[in-house]
Amino acid sequence: MLTSFVLLSVFLRGVVGQFPTACTTAQALKDRRCCPQWKDGSMCGVDSGRGRCRFMHQTYSDKRSYTQPNDDRLDWPHEFYDSVCVCNGNCAGFDCGECKSGFRGAKCTEKKTIIRREIHELSRQERLTFFSYLSLAKLKTSARYKILITGNRYDRNTFRFVEASVYDVFAWMHFYSFAPFLQNNMFDATINLAHEGPNFLPWHRWYLLFLEREIQILTHDYDFALPYYDWSMDGRTCSICTDDMMGKSDNQGLLTSSSYFANWKSICSGFNYPNKYCTDAEDKCRMEPLHRNPGADPNNRQLDSAQQVEDVLQWKDYDTPPHNSTAKHSFRNCLEGFVDPSSGEVTRRSLHNLFHMYMGGTMSLVPLSGNDPIFLLHHGFIDK
């Protein structure tokens, strides 16, 4: 299926769902090559044995059956690049200059373990450090990546790469995965590259690892780990929705002025225009502030319990046909929250999906949900 193919493309190729700054130059795009130099001066660190620049054959067998224009994510990354870095061993990254998750050292041979902890278990100082790292990521322009924007997805000549903060690059990636798929000159909202299918859990695990790594690089704190929030103990309350944690909401759903995240705004606010990519990225005045209204929706007032979280573990098949939101007795579909985790069959909003809707506001707008830092804590728990 298409979504499975895109997932494999994301994990096996050097350009993993975003655009390294070095690969957005006019020359790189003209050459259709994303093989940046590593610090040894060679492309992909080939002189140091880290990787090599390799031509990637197109593998999506049905591509010839489509008429133009087609989605730029189809047969990734061939819309933009034909050659990318392919890394050796445990080396990783767009220039093979990093190590795979779980490894460190000059040759990426040393095992590395970091432990994610429940946010209530952090000391006050540890929480303040976490908040300061997030603030820095939100304010600091990424030196490593740019984002793609356009006011007309039909016209490749309107595609532009622009700067964004480290955190906004992260939020944009969730938006980019969710944009309606363009094929045969029409948009198809039923194709989702990171949700409602087998991709959901591995894609979001990689997504968290991406931000975790970018914060480590930004802060030089290479033992930093994102915390998680075990909402299964809270029922009808949100124990982290306070100003000394993730922020309290006022009557309009805006975060109060004393919240650490009161001034945060959502990149790609105009997500509901299928023919555009994030046109507000260059004008922050057009971006919407974060909104939350936990428990206000009468249909989503209570979070699932620890027992319901436990129930999902009974399903031994990771996923079942038809591998979408209707799959029954599927661990993935129960955890994603389209099916009751106890029965494995009854359709109801649960677990992952329920939390998004319970929070309301930005979190309930799935393409934008990565803008709210509560997303990190929620998906850290789902990943756990």
Side-chain angles (χ1 to χ4, degrees), residues 9 13 30 35 51 57 66 91 105 114 122 157 320 323 332 338 371 383:
S9 297
R13 299 186 179 185
K30 179 182 178 181
C35 295
H57 293 282
Y66 289 109
C91 297
I114 59 173
L122 302 183
N157 293 322
T320 59
H323 304 291
R332 185 275 312 163
F338 291 102
N371 282 283
D383 191 60

Side-chain angles (χ1 to χ4, degrees), residues 6-71:
V6 174
L7 173 70
L8 291 174
S9 297
V10 166
F11 276 90
L12 296 180
R13 299 186 179 185
V15 185
V16 283
Q18 70 288 312
F19 299 94
T21 299
C23 300
T24 60
T25 65
Q27 190 63 50
L29 294 168
K30 179 182 178 181
D31 294 343
R32 299 183 55 79
R33 184 172 64 195
C34 184
C35 295
Q37 288 186 352
W38 189 51
K39 64 182 181 181
D40 67 356
S42 66
M43 287 192 298
C44 312
V46 63
D47 290 349
S48 300
R50 299 189 69 88
R52 64 195 184 282
C53 185
R54 193 173 82 181
F55 178 81
M56 307 299 294
H57 293 282
Q58 293 187 357
T59 55
Y60 189 61
S61 59
D62 294 334
K63 187 167 186 177
R64 288 174 295 179
S65 68
Y66 289 109
T67 59
Q68 292 295 323
N70 283 310
D71 200 279

Side-chain angles (χ1 to χ4, degrees), residues 111-122:
K111 289 290 185 69
K112 173 186 176 182
T113 300
I114 59 173
I115 298 175
R116 291 178 179 165
R117 297 158 58 198
E118 213 280 340
I119 191 167
H120 292 94
E121 297 176 357
L122 302 183

Side-chain angles (χ1 to χ4, degrees), residues 269-337:
S269 299
F271 74 94
N272 54 340
Y273 298 99
N275 191 36
K276 298 180 180 180
Y277 277 153
C278 204
T279 52
D280 67 355
E282 291 185 301
D283 183 2
K284 295 187 182 299
C285 293
R286 294 166 57 192
M287 297 182 189
E288 300 172 357
L290 296 183
H291 285 74
R292 291 189 206 132
N293 206 350
D297 183 344
N299 296 317
N300 301 285
R301 287 194 182 278
Q302 182 162 336
L303 298 167
D304 279 337
S305 67
Q307 181 58 56
Q308 288 162 318
V309 172
E310 191 71 21
D311 286 345
V312 79
L313 299 177
Q314 70 181 296
W315 306 113
K316 304 305 181 185
D317 290 328
Y318 173 77
D319 209 357
T320 59
H323 304 291
N324 58 26
S325 61
T326 68
K328 300 184 185 304
H329 305 143
S330 157
F331 170 79
R332 185 275 312 163
N333 204 32
C334 289
L335 183 56
E336 190 170 357

Side-chain angles (χ1 to χ4, degrees), residues 104 112 114 213 216-225:
R104 65 171 43 162
K112 173 186 176 182
I114 59 173
R213 177 61 177 168
Q216 290 170 355
I217 293 171
L218 179 65
T219 62
H220 303 288
D221 181 355
Y222 293 98
D223 292 317
F224 167 74

Side-chain angles (χ1 to χ4, degrees), residues 45-46 48-52 86-92 96 100 107-108:
V46 63
S48 300
R50 299 189 69 88
R52 64 195 184 282
V86 176
C87 305
N88 298 327
N90 296 322
C91 297
C96 298
K100 290 180 180 178
K107 296 185 178 180
C108 302

Side-chain angles (χ1 to χ4, degrees), residues 21-278:
T21 299
C23 300
T24 60
T25 65
Q27 190 63 50
L29 294 168
K30 179 182 178 181
D31 294 343
R32 299 183 55 79
R33 184 172 64 195
C34 184
C35 295
Q37 288 186 352
W38 189 51
K39 64 182 181 181
D40 67 356
S42 66
M43 287 192 298
C44 312
V46 63
D47 290 349
S48 300
R50 299 189 69 88
R52 64 195 184 282
C53 185
R54 193 173 82 181
F55 178 81
M56 307 299 294
H57 293 282
Q58 293 187 357
T59 55
Y60 189 61
S61 59
D62 294 334
K63 187 167 186 177
R64 288 174 295 179
S65 68
Y66 289 109
T67 59
Q68 292 295 323
N70 283 310
D71 200 279
D72 47 284
R73 297 163 295 177
L74 183 66
D75 202 16
W76 182 264
H78 279 292
E79 180 64 35
F80 304 95
Y81 313 110
D82 291 326
S83 299
V84 298
C85 288
V86 176
C87 305
N88 298 327
N90 296 322
C91 297
F94 57 79
D95 60 358
C96 298
E98 303 168 30
C99 297
K100 290 180 180 178
S101 178
F103 294 90
R104 65 171 43 162
K107 296 185 178 180
C108 302
T109 55
E110 302 171 28
K111 289 290 185 69
K112 173 186 176 182
T113 300
I114 59 173
I115 298 175
R116 291 178 179 165
R117 297 158 58 198
E118 213 280 340
I119 191 167
H120 292 94
E121 297 176 357
L122 302 183
S123 68
R124 184 175 184 276
Q125 185 56 53
E126 287 172 328
R127 287 200 303 271
L128 290 176
T129 297
F130 171 53
F131 298 151
S132 69
Y133 283 1
L134 289 182
S135 295
L136 182 62
K138 183 67 172 176
L139 293 172
K140 183 73 171 179
T141 298
S142 174
R144 289 163 49 83
Y145 296 100
K146 290 188 176 181
I147 65 171
L148 174 66
I149 68 170
T150 179
N152 182 4
R153 289 178 61 193
Y154 289 103
D155 184 359
R156 296 296 190 266
N157 293 322
T158 68
F159 282 25
R160 292 191 300 124
F161 296 98
V162 300
E163 292 182 337
S165 74
V166 172
Y167 193 93
D168 284 349
V169 169
F170 169 79
W172 171 87
M173 288 163 59
H174 199 260
F175 158 84
Y176 189 57
S177 77
F178 207 91
F181 212 80
L182 175 62
Q183 57 186 14
N184 287 334
N185 210 30
M186 297 180 64
F187 289 107
D188 185 351
T190 65
I191 298 176
N192 192 301
L193 304 182
H195 304 82
E196 300 185 38
N199 297 355
F200 172 69
L201 291 172
W203 191 94
H204 283 83
R205 170 170 288 185
W206 170 84
Y207 188 48
L208 292 182
L209 288 171
F210 173 86
L211 182 64
E212 202 166 57
R213 177 61 177 168
E214 291 304 302
I215 290 178
Q216 290 170 355
I217 293 171
L218 179 65
T219 62
H220 303 288
D221 181 355
Y222 293 98
D223 292 317
F224 167 74
L226 293 168
Y228 66 90
Y229 166 42
D230 181 355
W231 38 255
S232 70
M233 306 302 293
D234 279 355
R236 289 179 176 267
T237 64
C238 174
S239 61
I240 62 172
C241 296
T242 61
D243 283 340
D244 63 336
M245 295 283 271
M246 301 305 291
K248 182 181 179 181
S249 304
D250 63 20
N251 292 334
Q252 284 73 46
L254 298 173
L255 298 186
T256 59
S257 59
S258 52
S259 165
Y260 295 108
F261 309 102
N263 296 321
W264 280 40
K265 292 186 176 182
S266 298
I267 195 169
C268 306
S269 299
F271 74 94
N272 54 340
Y273 298 99
N275 191 36
K276 298 180 180 180
Y277 277 153
C278 204

